[in-house]
Structures are given as C-alpha cells and as structure tokens.
Amino acid sequence: AFYGRPVLRLFIAKSSGTNYTTRLPFHRFGPGDLVLLSSSTITQLDGAIIERSPYYIDIALNQKNYIDSGTKTKWRLDQYYSTLSYQRMEAAIDAVTATSSGYFEARIGKLDRNRDEISPELKRIVVRSALDGATSWADLAAQPSAGLCRKAPSANTARGVIEEIAPTLDIFQKRAAAKALRARLSLIQGPPGTGKTKCAAALVAAAVRL
C-alpha cells in the first residue's frame, strides 16, 4: 500500500510467473503521471504512477477498496487529466493572497476580489490569465527579484547563503534555489521525491536571511 492506497503493478506476465524479466515496450510514462486504467473485466481505475522500471510500472490507485484478484488481466493505460490539482492550487493562492477580512471567505469558497495580491505573477500563471502589456514569461523571469528580497543579491551571494543554510541539497537543488533567489519569477518542477519542498524551504530561509 502507498499511504493507504492500493498499489497495482503492471508487467508483462509469463507462464512461469511474476519474475519481471520481460522489458516493457517504449513509453513516456513516469512517476507523478496521472493515469487511467481500463480492462474488459474490471471497472475503470485511476491513480498516479509512483515507480517506473524497465520491467514494470507501479500505480497508486485512488480506489481504496480495490483488491487484486491475482488473476492475469490485460490493462490499457492512458494518461489521465484531472482539474482537481489545479483547483487546489488556485484555492491555495486565493487563500494566501486574500486580505485578513477575505481569508475566511476564501476558505469557504466565497472569494474576496478586493484583496492584497502578494504574488500577482504567480496567480496569473495558475489561472492562466494574460500578462499585462507585452511582457512575456521569459522577460518576467529575467527581471531581478522584486519582493522576495529587499534587494536582489549577486550570484555569489545567492550561492553562498544557499550553501550556508542548506548544505545537504544536491548541486541541482542549490543551483535552482540560488537562481530563484535572484529572479522575479521562477518555476521549479520535478516528479515526486526530487526535493522541490526542500528547495523551496531553503529559498524562503535564504530570503529571510537576506
């Protein structure tokens, strides 16, 4: 089980059993992908890929009552789109950017449109709104920090404070945090378990320090 969710392993079965010796055909599925599973005998299932191997794919199912019968089943795997994650992100942005009087209205779904915007650029990205004027996302990302720090630090200062605060981050996480510390807009992405939260925590701590 994966945090209380049943895990379904897909592989190419042989008559000799489940020894996972046959490589899967080429595919682009990876950890974090939302997928839909279909078969001729079982109701559709959906979940998220949590592990990928050349020989199998592990999927954490959303159907908590699913029990694997142990019989061989042919599954069709499709990429699945869900708006739930985006709705949660938008609600979180609304809660963070709401004024104190509008916070509770945001929590219950009645959004207060007269609120202070802590990060209007981030909100526009989440809700896919148009940029003001002719500014592109690339131009916005190239601008120096505005609001995260009192003054955008130099490259050496950014790298130094990240190294001091979070020495256990790997080289890629440190590089991402240092660049984000100096930019007005940054996007840090990666599949589950790649250290996005650690990187974000180091970024916030560095901004406070500066």
Side-chain angles (χ1 to χ4, degrees), residues 52-199:
R52 167 183 169 167
S53 159
Y55 305 98
Y56 61 83
I57 296 175
D58 284 346
I59 303 170
L61 300 175
N62 291 326
Q63 291 72 23
K64 294 186 177 181
N65 59 347
Y66 174 77
I67 299 176
D68 190 352
S69 62
T71 59
K72 294 181 180 179
T73 304
K74 289 185 177 180
W75 291 100
R76 169 174 171 155
L77 190 63
D78 293 290
Q79 192 161 16
Y80 182 56
Y81 176 78
S82 173
T83 60
L84 181 60
S85 296
Y86 300 100
Q87 291 170 352
R88 288 174 176 170
M89 286 192 292
E90 185 173 2
I93 295 297
D94 277 316
V96 169
T97 58
T99 60
S100 58
S101 61
Y103 175 74
F104 293 103
E105 292 181 2
R107 288 290 299 275
I108 63 176
K110 298 179 181 179
L111 303 181
D112 180 7
R113 300 303 176 185
N114 183 22
R115 59 183 179 273
D116 296 329
E117 295 273 341
I118 295 177
S119 180
E121 293 88 2
L122 179 59
K123 181 171 177 62
R124 291 190 191 106
I125 290 174
V126 174
V127 300
R128 290 173 169 76
S129 298
L131 281 169
D132 296 331
T135 305
S136 68
W137 296 125
D139 292 338
L140 194 60
Q143 295 178 10
S145 176
L148 186 60
C149 303
R150 289 185 293 271
K151 181 180 179 181
S154 66
N156 288 336
T157 300
R159 287 193 295 265
V161 71
I162 292 296
E163 179 65 40
E164 180 183 351
I165 289 175
T168 59
L169 294 181
D170 64 33
I171 185 173
F172 301 104
Q173 294 165 343
K174 290 176 181 177
R175 186 181 302 166
K179 285 188 176 181
L181 198 60
R182 303 182 63 241
R184 185 179 178 190
L185 176 67
S186 300
L187 174 62
I188 299 176
Q189 62 180 12
T194 54
K196 295 184 298 296
T197 302
K198 290 181 179 179
C199 189

Side-chain angles (χ1 to χ4, degrees), residues 1-8 33-34 46-50 59-66:
F2 182 78
Y3 293 98
R5 298 163 60 183
V7 175
L8 180 65
D33 286 347
L34 300 179
D46 63 274
I49 294 177
I50 57 175
I59 303 170
L61 300 175
N62 291 326
Q63 291 72 23
K64 294 186 177 181
N65 59 347
Y66 174 77

Side-chain angles (χ1 to χ4, degrees), residues 18-70:
T18 58
N19 50 7
Y20 315 126
T21 58
T22 303
R23 296 180 69 92
L24 298 177
F26 173 79
H27 63 86
R28 296 184 182 276
F29 292 108
D33 286 347
L34 300 179
V35 293
L36 186 69
L37 296 108
S38 308
S39 78
S40 59
T41 58
I42 300 177
T43 304
Q44 278 188 338
L45 304 173
D46 63 274
I49 294 177
I50 57 175
E51 186 176 352
R52 167 183 169 167
S53 159
Y55 305 98
Y56 61 83
I57 296 175
D58 284 346
I59 303 170
L61 300 175
N62 291 326
Q63 291 72 23
K64 294 186 177 181
N65 59 347
Y66 174 77
I67 299 176
D68 190 352
S69 62

